[in-house]
């Protein structure tokens, strides 16, 4: 997981997660908020405004040190609800920071913790506004403190903030929850200097507006065009740093009958020494959300690939082991400059909801590796 650059095409709203840094440790005092949520009070029905019940008291990473994360107020955007808060993280020894909105204040759950807030059932998403002081700040957002404490965790990973208030959504469909300790959080890392972000209008709601469409009546029928639903958003290795992997549209398609999109990838080798990309559903999902159900019977993933110069060595596969329960890889291919059909066998794979429908990886290159991928499908 980790911080992933933004996806390119497909996948709908940014909903994913990656694995955030650990969420334990010493908590500083919270800043405002924190209603009781008793009978007739805030939080009895959806939508639930997080700031009516939860308190941003769970300071993590550099935030656990005095002054590591400073909390202030900001101007509430027009028509926004709840409170608007500014957070300024000054990178320190930990190299990352974050804050959990907790119920009750300072509660980390677990054996020594307290029960969370009984969030009304039926929430489809957590919707919120976020923006940066300058724009370009990279932040992840999550709900559900952990599987052990709240029984679930969902999130959006590696969001590159704009300088204007922008709405983001964390997809809760399929999540089972009851008493929730961690109503919302943000996490940031790998920043060269102070990071200031603003968050407002955080709400658990049963509204599905803005969420990606799910297949009507169950599984997607075969064949499935991968780019219609999955997004190449899971950047790995050197791809986790800005500029490590550049993605563009192909100058020409692999063939006239190709489905989906044609993409040109340029990997510039760096300190990590390898790179790769997962096509994920939803975008940026590393397994904290369910994937999309595909009808049984697929025997292969089929695709076209070719290199800019020829001789590029790339390995292709499908399935994210931890999230999908399977991972298959073909042999490393030595690409030519001619679009060539490759397949990944699926006949022995047991699958249902698929998070990582396709992936490529490359390593041990002395110079940039440039290649195209087109016509991706499960069939």
């Amino acid at each position: 997981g980790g911080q992933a650059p933004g996806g390119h095409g497909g996948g709908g709203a940014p909903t994913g997660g990656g694995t955030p840094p650990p969420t334990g440790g010493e908590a500083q005092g919270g800043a405002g908020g924190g209603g009781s949520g008793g009978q007739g009070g805030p939080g009895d029905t959806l939508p639930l405004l997080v700031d009516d019940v939860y308190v941003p008291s769970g300071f993590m990473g550099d935030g656990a040190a005095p002054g590591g994360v400073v909390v202030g107020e900001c101007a509430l955007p027009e028509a926004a609800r709840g409170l608007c808060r500014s957070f300024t993280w000054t990178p320190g020894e930990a190299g990352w920071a974050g804050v959990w909105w907790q119920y009750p204040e300072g509660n980390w759950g677990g054996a020594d913790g307290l029960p969370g807030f009984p969030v009304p059932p039926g929430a489809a998403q957590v919707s919120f506004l976020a923006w940066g002081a300058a724009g370009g700040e990279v932040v992840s957002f999550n709900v559900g403190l952990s599987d052990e404490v709240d029984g679930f965790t969902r999130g959006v990973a590696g969001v590159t903030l704009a300088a204007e208030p922008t709405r983001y959504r964390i997809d809760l469909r399929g999540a089972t929850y009851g008493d929730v300790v961690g109503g919302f959080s943000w996490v940031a890392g790998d920043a060269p200097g102070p990071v200031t972000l603003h968050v407002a209008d955080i709400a658990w709601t049963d509204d599905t507006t803005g969420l990606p469409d799910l297949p009507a009546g169950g599984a997607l029928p075969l064949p499935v065009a991968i780019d219609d639903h999955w997004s190449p958003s899971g950047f790995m290795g050197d791809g986790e740093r800005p500029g490590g992997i550049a993605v563009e549209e192909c100058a020409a398609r692999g063939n006239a009958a190709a489905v989906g999109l044609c993409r040109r990838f340029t990997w510039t080798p760096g300190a990590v020494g390898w790179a790769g990309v997962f096509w994920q559903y939803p975008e940026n999902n590393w397994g904290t959300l369910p994937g999309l159900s595909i009808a049984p019977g697929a025997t292969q993933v089929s695709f076209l690939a070719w290199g800019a110069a020829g001789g590029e060595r790339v390995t292709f596969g499908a399935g994210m082991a931890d999230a999908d329960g399977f991972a298959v890889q073909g042999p490393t291919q030595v690409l030519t400059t001619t679009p060539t059909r490759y397949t990944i066998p699926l006949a022995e794979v047991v699958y249902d909801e698929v998070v990582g429908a396709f992936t490529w990886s490359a390593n041990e290159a002395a110079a940039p590796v440039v290649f195209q991928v087109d016509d991706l499908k499960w069939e």
Side-chain angles (χ1 to χ4, degrees), residues 68-69 84 106 112 130 148 155 165 170 194 275 292 297 324 329 363 370 374 377:
V69 173
C84 184
D112 300 324
E148 293 74 20
I170 299 173
L292 267 184
D324 296 324
Q329 241 182 21
N363 58 20
V370 183
D374 195 7
K377 55 198 174 189

Side-chain angles (χ1 to χ4, degrees), residues 7-332:
H8 300 267
T15 53
T19 303
T23 54
E26 196 72 22
Q28 292 183 350
S36 66
Q39 186 172 359
D44 284 351
T45 59
L46 296 174
L48 163 65
L49 292 181
V50 167
D51 285 312
D52 282 351
V53 173
Y54 291 87
V55 180
S57 53
F59 288 66
M60 305 176 288
D62 288 327
V69 173
V70 176
V71 186
E73 295 181 358
C74 48
L76 196 65
E78 185 177 356
R81 304 158 295 174
L83 302 173
C84 184
R85 290 191 175 90
S86 297
F87 299 89
T88 298
W89 160 47
T90 301
E93 184 176 349
W96 68 276
V99 177
W100 272 104
W101 275 247
Q102 298 167 306
Y103 179 91
E105 182 175 0
N107 182 23
W108 289 103
D112 300 324
L114 297 169
F117 184 81
V119 177
Q125 64 175 294
V126 175
S127 170
F128 60 98
L129 295 172
W131 63 105
E137 301 84 353
V138 179
V139 186
S140 296
F141 300 94
N142 293 277
V143 298
L145 191 65
S146 68
D147 289 339
E148 293 74 20
V149 172
D150 289 329
F152 79 102
T153 181
R154 296 284 179 93
V156 230
V159 174
T160 301
L161 299 179
E164 304 79 32
T166 303
R167 186 158 300 279
Y168 299 96
R169 307 172 192 278
I170 299 173
D171 195 336
L172 293 180
R173 291 174 296 184
T176 300
Y177 64 84
D179 291 348
V180 179
V181 170
F184 184 75
S185 76
W186 65 263
V187 174
D190 298 325
V195 172
T196 297
L197 66 142
H198 315 291
V199 184
D201 200 12
I202 315 165
W204 289 56
T205 174
D206 55 4
D207 184 9
T208 58
T209 300
L211 296 178
D213 293 334
L214 298 177
L220 293 168
L222 296 169
V224 176
I226 292 174
D227 285 313
D228 285 353
H229 303 280
W230 286 263
S231 174
S233 55
F235 287 62
M236 304 175 288
D238 286 327
E240 292 193 62
R241 61 177 173 80
I245 296 175
V247 187
E248 306 166 282
E249 292 188 17
C250 302
R253 299 300 297 261
N255 66 38
V259 299
L261 301 172
C262 183
R263 294 184 176 89
R264 174 186 173 101
F265 295 92
T266 300
W267 163 46
T268 302
V272 180
W274 70 276
V277 177
F278 261 109
W279 273 246
Q280 300 168 307
Y281 179 88
E283 185 177 8
N284 293 323
N285 181 20
W286 289 101
T288 54
L289 292 164
L292 267 184
S293 183
I294 300 177
T299 59
Q300 64 182 16
V301 178
S302 173
F303 60 99
L304 296 170
W306 65 104
E312 299 84 356
R313 298 176 60 86
V314 186
T315 304
F316 301 96
M320 194 179 295
D322 291 342
D324 296 324
F326 76 92
V328 291
Q329 241 182 21
T332 297

